[in-house]
Amino acid sequence: MTKITAAITAVGGYVPQFILTNKMLEEMVETNDEWITTRTGIKERRILKKEEGEGSSYLAIQAAKQILEKKNLDPAEIDLVIVATATPDSMVASTAAFVASEIGAKNAFAYDLLAACSSFLFGMSTAARYIESGRYKKVLLIGADKMSSIIDYTDRTTCIIFGDGAGAVLFEPNTEGLGLKDEYLRADGSGRQFLGMEGGGSLMPATEQTVKDRKHFIFQDGKTVFKFAVSNMADVAERIMKRNDLADTDVSWLVPHQANKRIIDATANRMGLDQSKVLMNIQRYGNTTSATLPLLLSDYEDKLKKGDNLVFAAFGGGFTWGSIYLKWAY
């Protein structure tokens, strides 16, 4: 039998209309454009305002609709919808189930996947397994986060970094040897003391005091997270290259999580890649968490060619991190 691989056959992306610039942040917290740009590479980020839409589901639906339109796809043909997100609409009802219903994927089952900034990367692995099994033909994977809903805009260590957005990909079977080829995914639970959100879960349910203490916003130990991210993202990207006998000349594109330009540069340097092979949009969107990787694919879709070797790399809270090697299919 011909081996079935899982290939991306369509991409979509969506960012909100409102642009929050570094200059605007200068009026909100003690910071400045030069400081933010030098240390992160970010110039602006998008924020979902109530008058445009509400919740991560709104962003996910817009990205999914792009794929339906591009492929002229009947949503009833979709077998599974996975929404990778750190900011679900609510804690119990699945955001993915709502998204599937709203786009008309009436025959799909659906669930959320949470691994912080690695959510979409881990979702790629999950979606691929469903396709490779031969049981399902069309898996819609969406990365969507409304990070502004959990950001404290008086905390300059986090408010300068994050933005809102969504991206989506469609996985389908391939018999040409294209699609997901290899992965190396990791986790270290000790990392949650350095990056996370204390309030709102079963460990610290919401109370009047947790709200007063601002426990429902994310926090991070910037220096520790940066150190872990630089070493681990670079390590897994290099490992995936060595394991697949990929030289720097074999890699068409690095598709890195957009958390910090210095982390991206360090990963590219370890891989021996020229900056011209690195996909980057952090300057426009900041860190959109689960949406960074698919938004890169959406923004650079016209540059990707069939057979291109793509190396994905991500790092997130928890800690979670990993790398995926994928051959582009169209």
Side-chain angles (χ1 to χ4, degrees):
M1 290 180 64
T2 303
K3 183 180 179 182
I4 297 172
T5 55
I8 292 174
T9 59
V11 300
Y14 184 82
V15 291
Q17 298 164 9
F18 182 81
I19 299 173
L20 178 62
T21 66
N22 290 349
K23 288 292 184 184
M24 291 176 182
L25 284 171
E26 290 178 4
E27 305 297 319
M28 299 164 64
V29 291
E30 188 181 342
T31 191
N32 60 71
D33 174 62
E34 183 184 7
W35 193 93
I36 297 171
T37 304
T38 301
R39 285 161 178 78
T40 68
I42 302 168
K43 298 294 288 185
E44 58 190 41
R45 65 289 293 147
R46 301 299 184 97
I47 305 296
L48 181 63
K49 296 289 190 176
K50 192 170 183 178
E51 53 267 28
E52 180 182 356
E54 293 188 83
S56 294
S57 62
Y58 174 81
L59 301 167
I61 289 165
Q62 307 314 310
K65 283 180 176 177
Q66 276 198 19
I67 285 181
L68 297 178
E69 291 170 7
K70 283 181 179 180
K71 294 280 286 184
N72 193 24
L73 176 64
D74 180 355
E77 294 179 25
I78 297 172
D79 299 303
L80 166 62
V81 176
I82 301 172
V83 173
T85 183
T87 55
D89 283 4
S90 65
M91 292 296 290
V92 178
S94 164
T95 301
F98 179 71
V99 170
S101 295
E102 288 295 295
I103 65 172
K106 59 185 180 181
N107 295 316
F109 70 108
Y111 60 83
D112 298 348
L113 190 155
L114 170 57
C117 293
S118 302
S119 296
F120 188 85
L121 188 82
F122 287 13
M124 290 174 67
S125 171
T126 306
R129 299 296 89 78
Y130 282 109
I131 294 295
E132 290 165 358
S133 73
R135 187 179 293 274
Y136 303 108
K137 304 297 184 189
K138 289 179 171 57
V139 176
L140 180 63
L141 172 63
I142 307 168
D145 270 306
K146 184 185 176 184
M147 292 304 294
S148 61
S149 66
I150 57 171
I151 294 299
D152 179 355
Y153 284 94
T154 66
D155 176 13
R156 68 175 183 175
T157 65
T158 55
C159 73
I160 65 170
I161 298 169
F162 294 94
D164 302 339
V169 300
L170 182 67
F171 273 98
E172 295 187 274
N174 183 276
T175 55
E176 301 175 85
L178 304 171
L180 199 149
K181 305 289 287 183
D182 194 15
E183 62 186 45
Y184 186 69
L185 310 177
R186 309 297 294 160
D188 178 357
S190 66
R192 73 175 181 178
Q193 64 182 300
F194 304 113
L195 174 58
M197 186 174 74
E198 293 179 294
S202 61
L203 196 63
M204 189 184 289
T207 65
E208 184 178 350
Q209 192 60 47
T210 65
V211 174
K212 285 181 179 178
D213 293 340
R214 308 184 80 79
K215 297 295 186 180
H216 299 271
F217 297 117
I218 62 169
F219 67 90
Q220 76 166 3
D221 177 338
K223 290 182 179 178
T224 302
V225 173
F226 180 83
K227 178 183 175 183
F228 269 83
V230 166
S231 61
N232 287 320
M233 256 182 71
D235 284 348
V236 291
E238 184 181 41
R239 179 185 289 262
I240 212 85
M241 286 178 66
K242 287 182 177 178
R243 202 157 75 177
N244 292 276
D245 296 320
L246 294 172
D248 59 302
T249 52
D250 299 318
V251 177
S252 307
W253 303 101
L254 169 63
V255 189
H257 173 54
Q258 306 288 291
N260 184 300
K261 187 178 183 296
R262 290 184 293 166
I263 298 172
I264 297 168
D265 290 344
T267 303
N269 289 339
R270 179 78 73 83
M271 298 169 68
L273 293 185
D274 185 80
Q275 286 296 316
S276 63
K277 290 187 172 186
V278 180
L279 303 189
M280 200 177 312
N281 56 18
I282 190 172
Q283 67 278 13
R284 296 197 303 276
Y285 307 144
N287 182 351
T288 54
T289 305
S290 307
T292 61
L293 300 182
L295 273 175
L296 283 173
L297 296 179
S298 178
D299 280 2
Y300 286 89
E301 184 182 16
D302 61 345
K303 293 185 179 297
L304 306 178
K305 296 179 176 59
K306 185 174 181 178
D308 277 358
N309 290 318
L310 275 58
V311 174
F312 293 77
F315 181 89
F319 288 134
T320 58
W321 70 99
S323 183
I324 281 177
Y325 165 37
L326 177 139
K327 270 189 173 294
W328 198 247
Y330 67 96

